[in-house]
Every structure is written in structure tokens, then in C-alpha cells.
Amino acid sequence: MAPLLPITLVVITRNEAQKIARCLDSVPFAAEKLVVDSGSTDDTVAIAQAHGARVVHQDWLGFGPQRNFAATQCRHPWILALDADEYLTPELVDELQRRLPALMESDAAAAILRRHLIYMGKPMRWYRPAVGEKMARFYHRDRARWNDVRVHESLQFSGASVTFHAPFLHDNNPSLVEKQLKVLLYAELKCRDWLDKNKPTRMWQTPFVFALAFFKDYVLRLGFLDGWRGYAIAQTAASYAAYKRMRYYEMRQNPASRDTAAAALTRSGLDH
């Protein structure tokens, strides 16, 4: 059995019964495993508890605020943040066990981990954001915090950081159906953030945004080298970039659509 380190693994969940066990079990060295659940209706909570996690309920606050709430519930100041569809490789487990004790004795604020993407059931080989994407996921809660956005949150810190080399894996969306549902939700959340900031609509940019986003992912980020999977991921990214601008335009033109869309997402189990 791996020696325990005084860190807390944090996973925020809602209906992640098929994934949560693998995520929790991939971090055998965490002295505490904490799941912050926002109202699962499947077996997420029971499975998490069976795999050694303490479960805390918190109604959904948005991705950034939810993660910041989770940090306040941890018994240890050093936190490893994973999503339920992410898990550590054995190589990263070994590297973290070797290097974390020294890091935790330092005045560093965070550590950068490299994430590899599994897409359509297989690892991506060339698409650059999917191979070694750098993400701040290990941090000291008094030296870093997540920004308060509803979606696409990131860890904010000003102190020193270190980078680990072995990857963790992201088993991204079992099918394109789940991906498109997530696109709908993420676009809605991003548009709500834009409304809060009263961002101009600029619909004239939309056709160009689609073309540039596709070119960036398919060509500049080498998606074409991953064949049709690369095409699919680039097309999905470009469609998301265009759709959220169209949806934001609709929100501004027809404010009543905000409530009807929220109700539809809730009925579908998408919105928390």
C-alpha cells in the first residue's frame, strides 16, 4: 500500500456513478478524498463513500465557486483537484509520491500537471491541446484560488510553481452525444457570464470565429494528424465558438429565452 501524504483529493460531482470509482482509486496516496456533490440522483454518493471518500453536499454554485467551496471543506491545505472523468497514470502516481514531500515543504503555490486526452475511445496522438496540456491542479489553498466564473475556470496564483512530467488522463465524453450536451450547457454558462459583464454581442464576428477556430484546431494545433477524430474535435470546437455567440445574441434580443432555456436544461438534467 502506498504511504499516505497529507493532501486532499477533491472531486466535484453530479451523476458520475460510472466514473467516480476509477478517479478516486487512481490516487492511493491521498490522506483524504473529498467529493463535493451537487445533488446526484444516481449512485455517485454511495460509490464514492465505498471507495473511501467523504461526501459533502453543496448546491451548484458554478465551477469556480464550487471548487473554492470545496477547498474550505478540506482537512489538509494541499489539494489535488480532479474531475470525475480524469485519473492518474501509475507513472504520475510514482512521480507525485517522490516529489510532493519536498514541494509541500516549500513556499510554492501550485504545481502544473500534464493532461492527455482520450477521445472516441482512444488517446489522441498529435492534437496539441490533447497531448500534454498543462493544467494547474495541485495547490495550497492559502496561496491559490479558482476564479469565480461559471465555466472554464482556472486556478489563479502568483507564487512559485513546479511542473510534473508524467500525465494524467481525461476520458473525454463517452460519445459525441454527451459532448454536444456538454457544449449546450457550457455555452449557456459562458453566456450568463457575458450577460453579467454586459459584453457587446458583435454577431458579425461569428462566421469568422467559426472559420478561425476550426483552422486553429485542425491545422495549427495538428488535429489533422489524428485523422477523422481530429476533424471531429476541431469541428466541435468551432461550432461551440459560433453557437455561444448566437445564443448570447438571442439572450439579448429575447430575454424571455433565458428562463425557458434554463428550464429546458434543468428538465434534461444538464443544468445544476
Side-chain angles (χ1 to χ4, degrees):
M1 179 179 293
L4 297 181
L5 296 176
I7 71 168
T8 298
L9 165 66
V10 169
V11 189
I12 57 175
T13 61
R14 185 173 185 271
N15 292 337
E16 300 286 3
Q18 296 182 354
K19 307 168 186 175
I20 188 63
R22 179 181 61 186
C23 174
L24 295 172
D25 292 348
S26 75
V27 191
F29 54 84
E32 180 187 33
K33 298 179 183 182
L34 173 68
V35 166
V36 176
D37 188 79
S38 57
S40 291
T41 56
D42 62 7
D43 293 330
T44 297
V45 170
I47 294 172
Q49 291 171 334
H51 286 260
R54 177 168 61 93
V55 179
V56 173
H57 174 82
Q58 171 59 50
D59 291 341
W60 187 244
L61 302 171
F63 281 96
Q66 193 82 353
R67 292 192 192 277
N68 285 327
F69 168 81
T72 69
Q73 304 301 300
C74 297
R75 293 171 179 159
H76 302 285
W78 284 101
I79 297 169
L80 173 63
L82 293 178
D83 291 337
D85 58 359
E86 297 172 339
Y87 54 101
L88 305 189
T89 60
E91 294 79 11
L92 182 55
V93 168
D94 179 67
E95 185 178 8
L96 290 172
Q97 287 179 302
R98 287 188 289 105
R99 296 181 59 189
L100 280 183
L103 170 64
M104 293 163 63
E105 291 296 323
S106 74
D107 59 358
I112 310 300
L113 307 183
R114 299 175 186 269
R115 186 172 76 171
H116 286 197
L117 177 67
I118 298 173
Y119 187 70
M120 292 188 176
K122 297 188 298 183
M124 298 293 281
R125 295 184 58 199
W126 296 100
Y127 176 58
R128 293 178 67 181
V131 183
E133 180 183 14
K134 294 182 178 180
M135 312 189 79
R137 290 298 190 87
F138 184 75
Y139 65 101
H140 193 291
R141 67 180 171 199
D142 296 331
R143 304 169 193 167
R145 65 177 279 112
W146 299 89
N147 54 0
D148 289 321
V149 295
R150 292 183 175 93
V151 68
H152 304 316
E153 74 286 7
S154 61
L155 190 67
Q156 307 295 300
F157 60 93
S158 58
S161 65
V162 300
T163 300
F164 290 87
H165 302 293
F168 70 105
L169 300 179
H170 181 203
D171 195 357
N172 182 248
N173 305 303
S175 73
L176 284 176
V177 174
E178 282 92 346
K179 178 62 177 178
Q180 293 302 322
L181 291 173
K182 187 175 288 187
V183 163
L184 286 175
L185 174 60
Y186 284 10
E188 198 73 11
L189 296 175
K190 176 56 73 174
C191 289
R192 293 175 194 172
D193 280 341
W194 287 349
L195 278 173
D196 290 345
K197 299 174 182 177
N198 197 28
K199 179 180 176 177
T201 51
R202 296 172 181 163
M203 266 297 289
W204 64 269
Q205 295 179 346
T206 302
F208 304 101
V209 165
F210 179 92
L212 289 173
F214 182 86
F215 180 79
K216 179 178 70 174
D217 277 359
Y218 193 61
V219 178
L220 299 183
R221 292 179 166 177
L222 306 182
F224 70 95
L225 292 177
D226 276 305
W228 287 115
R229 289 188 305 140
Y231 175 87
I233 207 168
Q235 195 276 340
T236 301
S239 295
Y240 169 67
Y243 171 77
K244 64 186 176 184
R245 286 163 173 80
M246 293 187 292
R247 173 64 184 132
Y248 181 59
Y249 176 79
E250 181 184 34
M251 284 182 168
R252 298 289 295 266
Q253 292 294 309
N254 180 20
S257 71
R258 304 172 195 176
D259 291 336
T260 58
L265 289 171
T266 299
R267 287 196 304 271
S268 301
L270 293 177
D271 204 346
H272 299 212

